[in-house]
């Protein structure tokens, strides 16, 4: 490699003292994200098995694989920083959303915002639930209930391991690499592309075991993950925290895709549809105010990497 090549990724500063992205930054960022994404998905298939993905032994093995890749994901970001010469002020962990400043609001406001979006489905659950409010509270505070949940491999995967590892890899690790290259707004919509790659194996497995029609499987696997991936990327950039996206991810996994068709056939469909519409309107109204960086120790660390921060970061 020539001396000019060695300097191609050196840190560059203009006369105003602002960071100027080095040559080849975008290629290296995209390549790093692609390698990280393929590593995550590939780790799921290290263990050969003819059993379905919901079998406990398959889940346990995949836990091991994704936890190893997730633990190594900070190394990808560190290596990317060393190769590009990007030297942000915040620490590596802070860039990845692992910090204490603003953690209480990061644990509550994004989750409440997501619950507002799911107002219709939540009201539908409440209407159809055979339990009363007091019965539900008793179940939630019962230690045996949580012991049962923790012993269920599918619950652990959907509510704990998948949200934590996927947000760590596909948001906390990739966005710091994409923001300097593409800017915060473009990074929000680019990140879900890698997230969709990670869910393509779900399509293969569902088709393999004939768990739904082809159109339904592709629609749920890509449209929902694309929209959801953009939303949690938005939450990460606005709050600068990993915790918020993880909790929102866990909540959305529990709720699933809104059963709008069921609501249309419900005896109280007008009431339910009103709450569906109200939830969407309130969500759009509160989206920016409830994710205002000022609540999360502004400015957020990942926005310090942007050459032109834009309105998303403020």
């Amino acid at each position: 490699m020539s001396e000019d090549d060695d300097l191609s990724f050196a840190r560059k500063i203009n006369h105003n003292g602002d960071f100027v992205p080095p040559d080849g930054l975008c290629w290296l960022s995209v390549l790093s994200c692609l390698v990280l994404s393929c590593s995550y998905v590939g780790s799921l298939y290290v263990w050969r098995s003819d059993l379905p993905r919901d079998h406990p032994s398959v889940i346990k093995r995949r836990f091991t694989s994704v936890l190893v890749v997730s633990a190594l994901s900070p190394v990808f970001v560190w290596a990317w920083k060393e190769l590009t010469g990007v030297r942000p002020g915040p620490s590596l962990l802070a860039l990845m959303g692992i910090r204490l400043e603003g953690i209480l609001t990061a644990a509550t406001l994004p989750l409440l915002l997501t619950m507002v979006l799911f107002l219709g489905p939540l009201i539908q659950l409440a209407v159809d639930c055979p339990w009363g409010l007091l019965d539900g509270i008793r179940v939630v505070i019962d230690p045996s209930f949580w012991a049962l949940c923790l012993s269920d491999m599918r619950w652990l995967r959907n509510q704990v391991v998948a949200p934590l590892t996927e947000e760590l890899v596909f948001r906390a690790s990739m966005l710091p690499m994409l923001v300097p290259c593409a800017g915060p707004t473009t990074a929000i919509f680019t990140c879900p592309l890698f997230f969709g790659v990670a869910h393509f194996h779900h399509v293969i497995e569902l088709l393999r075991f004939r768990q739904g029609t082809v159109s339904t499987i592709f629609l749920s696997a890509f449209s929902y993950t694309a929209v959801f991936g953009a939303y949690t990327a938005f939450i990460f950039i606005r709050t600068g925290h990993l915790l918020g996206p993880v909790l929102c991810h866990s909540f959305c996994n529990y709720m699933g895709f809104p059963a709008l068709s069921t609501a249309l056939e419900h005896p109280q469909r007008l009431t339910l549809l009103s709450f569906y519409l109200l939830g969407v309107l309130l969500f759009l109204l509160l989206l920016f105010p409830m994710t205002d960086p000022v609540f999360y120790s502004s400015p957020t660390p990942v926005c310090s990497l942007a050459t032109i921060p834009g309105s998303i970061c403020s």
Side-chain angles (χ1 to χ4, degrees), residues 4-15:
D4 290 337
D5 292 332
D6 289 337
L7 294 175
S8 62
F9 286 118
R11 179 172 175 81
K12 299 179 181 178
I13 305 294
N14 64 14
H15 64 279

Side-chain angles (χ1 to χ4, degrees), residues 185-251:
T185 303
T186 304
I188 286 173
F189 296 100
T190 304
C191 202
L193 300 178
F194 300 101
F195 191 49
V197 171
H199 284 76
F200 187 74
H201 70 100
H202 290 175
V203 174
I204 297 174
E205 292 187 351
L206 290 173
L207 291 174
R208 177 186 174 191
F209 293 100
R210 299 179 181 179
Q211 298 176 357
T213 63
V214 175
S215 59
T216 303
I217 290 171
F218 271 90
L219 180 64
S220 61
F222 291 107
S223 62
Y224 186 57
T225 55
V227 173
F228 175 77
Y231 173 60
T232 54
F234 174 86
I235 293 294
F236 181 85
I237 286 181
R238 292 279 289 175
T239 67
H241 277 276
L242 173 63
L243 183 58
V246 170
L247 294 177
C248 293
H249 194 147
S250 181
F251 174 77

Side-chain angles (χ1 to χ4, degrees), residues 36-229:
L36 187 55
S37 177
C38 291
S39 299
Y40 186 93
V41 177
S43 71
L44 300 174
Y45 293 93
V46 171
W47 318 96
R48 291 186 173 274
S49 175
D50 294 326
L51 298 172
R53 63 186 294 266
D54 287 336
H55 194 279
S57 64
V58 174
I59 294 175
K60 290 178 182 178
R61 290 172 179 173
R62 290 183 170 184
F63 278 1
T64 303
S65 300
V66 297
L67 287 172
V68 169
V69 173
S70 300
L72 293 175
S73 60
V75 178
F76 278 81
V77 184
W78 175 83
W80 169 85
K81 284 176 55 183
E82 293 300 312
L83 287 173
T84 59
V86 174
R87 296 291 184 270
S91 67
L92 177 63
L93 290 180
L95 286 176
M96 298 179 67
I98 304 172
R99 60 195 183 104
L100 293 178
E101 298 87 354
I103 194 168
L104 291 180
T105 50
T108 53
L109 292 185
L111 181 58
L112 287 174
L113 177 65
T114 308
M115 293 175 73
V116 168
L117 177 61
F118 279 82
L119 180 62
L122 287 171
I123 296 296
Q124 187 173 344
L125 279 177
V127 169
D128 295 337
C129 183
W131 296 345
L133 178 61
L134 292 178
D135 293 330
I137 294 175
R138 290 192 192 99
V139 170
V140 170
I141 63 176
D142 186 356
S144 62
F145 167 75
W146 293 105
L148 183 63
C149 290
L150 293 173
S151 65
D152 185 345
M153 289 295 104
R154 288 185 299 176
W155 187 91
L156 277 175
R157 178 192 63 194
N158 297 335
Q159 309 307 135
V160 180
V161 176
L164 178 60
T165 59
E166 289 181 3
E167 294 305 319
L168 178 60
V169 170
F170 293 96
R171 248 67 70 184
S173 298
M174 293 189 182
L175 283 170
M177 294 189 287
L178 292 172
V179 165
C181 163
T185 303
T186 304
I188 286 173
F189 296 100
T190 304
C191 202
L193 300 178
F194 300 101
F195 191 49
V197 171
H199 284 76
F200 187 74
H201 70 100
H202 290 175
V203 174
I204 297 174
E205 292 187 351
L206 290 173
L207 291 174
R208 177 186 174 191
F209 293 100
R210 299 179 181 179
Q211 298 176 357
T213 63
V214 175
S215 59
T216 303
I217 290 171
F218 271 90
L219 180 64
S220 61
F222 291 107
S223 62
Y224 186 57
T225 55
V227 173
F228 175 77

